[in-house]
Amino acid sequence: MTRTLARSLAVTLLLGTSTIAAAQQAPIIQPGAPGADNTVLKAEDATKLAGTTFAPADARFMQMMIPHHAQASELAALVEARTSNPDIIAIAGRINAGQSDEIAFMRDWLAARGQRATAAMEHMAGMSHAEHMASMGMATPEQMARLASLEGREFDALFLELMTRHHRGAIDMVDDLLDQPGTAYDPVLFEFVNDIKTEQEGEIERMNVLAAGLSGDPRANLAAGFRDAGEAISNLRLVTAMPKPTGFFDPENPAQLQPRIEDENEDVAPGEPDAEEEPELASAARPDPREDDDEESEDRFGQRGSLLSFANTDIAFSGDLMVAGNYHGWNAYRLGDDGVPELLTSVLCPGGQGDVSIIGDLLLMSVQDSRARVDCGLQGVAGRVSEERFRGLRIFDISDIANPRQVGQVQTCRGSHTHSVVSADDRRIVVYNSGTSYVRDDAELAGCFESGGDNTALFSIDVIEIPVANPAAARIVDSPRVFAQNGEIAGLWRGGDHGEGTQDTSSTNHCHDITVFPSMKLAAGACSGNGIIMDISDPLKPVRIDDVTDKGFAYWHSATFNNDGTKVVFTDEWGGGGRPRCQAGDPTNWGANAFYTIENRKLVAQGLYKLPAPQSDKENCVAHNGSIIPVPGRDIFVQAWYQGGISVIDFTDAANPVEIAYFDRGPVDEDQLITGGYWSAYWYDGRIYATEIARGLDVFALQPSEFLTAEEIAAAEAAQYPGDVFNPQTQTQVTWPAELVEAAERSRMGG
């Protein structure tokens, strides 16, 4: 291999330039630990210690990468006799072609520096050899034996699973090396490790595509398209698919795709700017490192977001009124026959997040973006400090839905990402506010500090009181330190991983969602690094009563109770919602749901669920917002998975949740990964309403199946919500007519 030979020559040249320093007469001392003797060094020993050509971690990396590469060759050697799949054979061929040369290079590199080619066991940080190999993504002897026993499609599937994990292990090893100071100082080594990472990432992309092709799930490999994407549906009926209203999309770019960067070699039409004047932006798609330089490169696209965003977000319901939030404002609909919405009013008021709640004649909307304005203007806000900026909770009077008016605002230090209506009566409304963005400057909003000790705006939630008769007087009445423990306001998860092979979990300095269940006097908070439950007997003084973390969670995102408040579903937004986290090779316990029972006011872990259908690298996908489908006697959850579609899950047995229905579309675009798919999917008045971020609004009905009887669906459709209101983070206990409960129970027994 030419590149490896060039590296070997460079190794020789670099080592040939070193010289031994002239001997000196003064003693050279290396002190020991306190109380230990010093070591007197010879000049030549001191010279060796002063060498900077490589670090001990460099040698350690090479020593561990040699057996890692060797196992890849062992895996590849199993292919020829066990599959006829040309793509699997091609992968094995690439591995066989590269691994031996790279192993030879690594051995030469180590030998040239007087280092052994194998690592000493005592250097493995207290882990056994098997544990260390597993942390590097290597297959166990049992997995190797299992693979060797398979043929055909079964072999292909396990080969791709093991090889993908193996490649991820190599990438982790490179990242761990480069995170250490002084490593890869040698340019040859630096190039080598980066080549490993690039090649492994490219191979993982190809293997994810192959693994999706082996899936028998109809949702795998759906055709892309904004309005004509492929679709897959099971045990649901698509009632209607509605586009976004006028003013909530750019007619010239309705999917809000990134602009394509014209290649400088392409012809420039008359009147267009010269290609040399195009901005130089990073490639949106990494090319295959094995492609020849003269092959046509992939298209490149802009990397910056536009001033305006038109993403659909959360939904709230009151009677036959539905309000769908959007980064650009909100839209009000009247629900008609078969649950089909009819547009009533569109309100342009940009600012994101756009999450909404309805309380009587008032509508609340969360606002977080720095571009949001007090006056709902579309021009944004300049500067870090401005009296024109609004970040917090907007309050609208919707008594005349055809002409809603903004009647109140509550500015907050971190804006409002989500909010929860805790209590409401004729006198006041109490709301918990969760801000997740940056802390604004004290000069813009007094009392806002990111650092500064106990007065920091981090590590708290906001309690907001809204006088019903005078919403303009709404204000923050408290910012309780719900994460405090042992006298420290930062009392919960501090961030980082949980050990070898575990997820890097965000630090707990805010809650993303707080779902309140007022009739149960409980709240469940998905709080970045922890899941928590709180006693809200006094709505103004929430008290944390338990907290958990999970080794597979990256970011605790949302929480939903079952109907009797004895279980909680927490979701993990691994990748922040904009990444393709449901590919075939992704860990099944990352970006998933975690189901807990509440026993003696403690959270007890039960089972996990992740969308089973593999998605492409052009589909952002991870667990997102959902609600209970109120089937009496069962716990059923409908959930949005961004471009993974919607999934209906039965978690009556919380340790063994199972999917019972789904809907999915192909990617919004064939060439670009954009944030699309379903933001929220909620059951209300007998239908599932789902906001599609890029495309619009969909409505679904459940269909009888082996998983749900017609009588169970009828009971769910007749469920009675207190006040006929559904707000996303305020859970109410539904009831049913007794005769429908009895019919549902009989149907489950075959009656």
Side-chain angles (χ1 to χ4, degrees):
M1 190 165 72
T2 303
R3 180 172 289 181
T4 301
L5 291 174
R7 291 189 185 117
S8 297
L9 178 60
V11 169
T12 304
L13 292 174
L14 281 171
L15 291 177
T17 60
S18 64
T19 60
I20 302 297
Q24 70 175 50
Q25 299 302 315
I28 305 173
I29 304 299
Q30 184 178 18
D37 293 336
N38 291 344
T39 300
V40 180
L41 300 176
K42 296 179 181 179
E44 55 267 28
D45 293 332
T47 300
K48 289 179 182 178
L49 290 175
T52 59
T53 57
F54 74 97
D58 294 334
R60 174 72 176 161
F61 172 87
M62 295 296 223
Q63 290 165 342
M64 298 311 299
M65 190 59 78
I66 288 172
H68 194 276
H69 270 41
Q71 190 184 72
S73 296
E74 293 173 18
L75 286 163
L78 296 174
V79 167
E80 184 176 359
R82 292 169 176 81
T83 184
S84 59
N85 186 320
D87 294 315
I88 302 294
I89 293 171
I91 290 173
R94 287 193 294 269
I95 291 170
N96 288 328
Q99 301 296 288
S100 59
D101 282 347
E102 293 189 358
I103 288 174
F105 165 74
M106 290 188 284
R107 288 183 180 277
D108 290 346
W109 189 95
L110 288 165
R113 289 157 178 77
Q115 301 296 306
R116 302 188 322 176
T118 56
M121 288 294 293
E122 62 267 24
H123 293 164
M124 291 185 181
M127 289 191 292
S128 70
H129 182 72
E131 290 171 333
H132 197 86
M133 294 298 112
S135 73
M136 294 156 52
M138 294 180 67
T140 65
E142 293 77 16
Q143 290 169 331
M144 295 291 291
R146 168 68 176 157
L147 182 64
S149 71
L150 300 176
E151 292 183 352
R153 193 180 187 91
E154 287 185 328
F155 174 86
D156 296 344
L158 184 56
F159 175 84
L160 291 171
E161 178 186 333
L162 296 178
M163 192 61 81
T164 299
R165 188 182 306 145
H166 196 273
H167 281 28
R168 290 193 191 282
I171 293 169
D172 290 343
M173 290 171 68
V174 172
D175 289 340
D176 290 345
L177 176 72
L178 298 180
D179 282 344
Q180 301 177 60
T183 58
Y185 173 71
D186 174 2
V188 176
L189 177 59
F190 183 73
E191 179 189 20
F192 176 68
V193 299
N194 279 285
D195 282 348
I196 287 177
K197 182 173 181 177
T198 300
E199 291 168 6
Q200 305 290 287
E201 288 176 336
E203 200 70 82
I204 287 172
E205 289 180 3
R206 287 187 285 275
M207 289 192 293
N208 278 332
V209 173
L210 294 179
L214 295 175
S215 170
D217 196 301
R219 290 167 283 185
N221 298 316
L222 291 171
F226 180 56
R227 291 293 178 208
D228 57 351
E231 297 180 348
I233 191 167
S234 176
N235 299 329
L236 294 171
R237 172 172 62 90
L238 178 58
V239 175
T240 187
M242 302 176 62
K244 291 179 178 178
T246 300
F248 283 78
F249 63 92
D250 179 356
E252 299 297 320
N253 183 17
Q256 210 160 9
L257 300 175
Q258 292 294 102
R260 181 174 178 268
I261 299 173
E262 301 295 334
D263 189 86
E264 61 182 11
N265 295 322
E266 293 180 340
D267 294 333
V268 180
E272 292 185 356
D274 187 81
E276 293 182 357
E277 298 178 1
E278 290 288 338
E280 185 178 348
L281 299 176
S283 174
R286 179 177 56 260
D288 183 346
R290 295 180 178 81
E291 290 180 349
D292 294 333
D293 292 340
D294 59 353
E295 288 188 12
E296 184 178 353
S297 62
E298 296 183 19
D299 288 341
R300 297 184 301 136
F301 303 95
Q303 302 294 294
R304 299 276 291 171
S306 62
L307 174 64
L308 298 177
S309 174
F310 305 104
N312 277 333
T313 59
D314 234 340
I315 327 170
F317 303 85
S318 179
D320 62 357
L321 177 68
M322 179 184 80
V323 175
N326 186 288
Y327 270 64
H328 199 53
W330 51 273
N331 290 283
Y333 298 84
R334 189 74 68 197
L335 302 181
D337 293 342
D338 205 14
V340 175
E342 178 185 357
L343 183 66
L344 298 175
T345 307
S346 294
V347 176
L348 304 183
C349 190
Q353 173 106 342
D355 287 13
V356 290
S357 293
I358 301 171
I359 312 97
D361 288 334
L362 297 180
L363 173 79
L364 311 183
M365 182 172 73
S366 288
V367 182
Q368 182 165 282
D369 288 358
S370 62
R371 63 189 174 90
R373 297 176 57 87
V374 170
D375 61 3
C376 287
L378 277 64
Q379 66 270 40
V381 181
R384 189 166 180 83
V385 175
S386 173
E387 62 182 14
E388 297 175 334
R389 177 172 288 116
F390 178 76
R391 299 173 68 223
L393 199 66
R394 295 191 195 272
I395 308 169
F396 293 90
D397 182 336
I398 57 170
S399 55
D400 179 1
I401 195 61
N403 187 31
R405 297 178 299 111
Q406 188 173 197
V407 293
Q409 295 180 336
V410 181
Q411 297 268 18
T412 69
C413 290
R414 301 185 72 179
S416 178
H417 196 75
T418 64
H419 66 268
S420 315
V421 179
V422 190
S423 67
D425 54 30
D426 293 339
R427 184 174 63 87
R428 71 172 186 183
I429 302 165
V430 177
V431 178
Y432 294 160
N433 178 70
S434 298
T436 66
S437 187
Y438 73 94
V439 177
R440 65 167 88 196
D441 198 299
D442 173 62
E444 184 173 86
L445 185 62
C448 293
F449 305 97
E450 180 163 354
S451 57
D454 287 348
N455 64 347
T456 176
L458 306 178
F459 308 107
S460 62
I461 63 173
D462 300 318
V463 179
I464 295 173
E465 188 177 68
I466 304 171
V468 174
N470 183 20
R475 63 192 179 97
I476 296 173
V477 295
D478 197 9
S479 295
R481 301 296 192 183
V482 295
F483 315 128
Q485 191 161 273
N486 299 325
E488 297 183 357
I489 61 174
L492 299 184
W493 186 252
R494 300 294 181 90
D497 64 35
H498 306 259
E500 290 285 351
T502 61
Q503 181 63 277
D504 190 350
T505 305
S506 299
S507 63
T508 302
N509 64 43
H510 64 270
C511 288
H512 183 280
D513 280 20
I514 302 173
T515 295
V516 297
F517 205 154
S519 64
M520 298 290 177
K521 298 183 178 3
L522 281 175
C527 303
S528 57
N530 289 91
I532 69 174
I533 52 173
M534 295 183 287
D535 184 330
I536 56 170
S537 300
D538 181 351
L540 298 179
K541 301 290 182 183
V543 177
R544 190 183 83 251
I545 55 178
D546 197 25
D547 53 84
V548 292
T549 190
D550 189 289
K551 294 180 180 180
F553 266 42
Y555 184 79
W556 293 70
H557 175 273
S558 56
T560 305
F561 292 96
N562 66 343
N563 192 53
D564 61 9
T566 59
K567 299 175 186 173
V568 185
V569 184
F570 288 106
T571 70
D572 171 25
E573 195 179 42
W574 174 38
R579 305 289 294 279
R581 295 306 198 193
C582 300
Q583 296 186 78
D586 287 333
T588 56
N589 62 327
W590 291 15
N593 298 332
F595 297 87
Y596 287 78
T597 52
I598 302 175
E599 302 174 17
N600 298 318
R601 293 166 68 88
K602 296 290 184 182
L603 290 165
V604 180
Q606 298 295 332
L608 295 172
Y609 170 87
K610 185 172 182 179
L611 189 75
Q615 304 292 307
S616 75
D617 65 348
K618 298 299 185 290
E619 293 173 285
N620 58 303
C621 176
V622 77
H624 212 235
N625 298 339
S627 76
I628 295 300
I629 295 179
V631 175
R634 297 176 67 178
D635 295 322
I636 297 178
F637 184 54
V638 59
Q639 181 177 21
W641 288 80
Y642 290 111
Q643 289 202 68
I646 66 172
S647 180
V648 180
I649 308 152
D650 183 345
F651 68 104
T652 307
D653 178 358
N656 298 286
V658 61
E659 184 178 59
I660 63 174
Y662 63 74
F663 177 81
D664 189 18
R665 289 191 180 95
V668 172
D669 188 73
E670 183 178 14
D671 300 316
Q672 294 189 39
L673 168 61
I674 68 166
T675 300
Y678 293 106
W679 182 284
S680 297
Y682 297 137
W683 176 272
Y684 180 75
D685 198 23
R687 294 293 178 264
I688 295 168
Y689 295 87
T691 42
E692 238 269 16
I693 295 170
R695 295 180 175 108
L697 173 70
D698 293 341
V699 183
F700 299 91
L702 282 171
Q703 298 285 80
S705 68
E706 62 181 303
F707 303 107
L708 274 178
T709 67
E711 291 81 1
E712 288 178 311
I713 294 172
E717 291 176 344
Q720 299 162 347
Y721 289 81
D724 289 332
V725 173
F726 176 95
N727 286 318
Q729 290 176 204
T730 303
Q731 205 156 338
T732 55
Q733 191 167 30
V734 304
T735 56
W736 303 266
E739 64 274 14
L740 293 183
V741 174
E742 293 173 3
E745 291 174 347
R746 286 196 304 270
S747 72
R748 284 195 288 268
M749 296 183 290

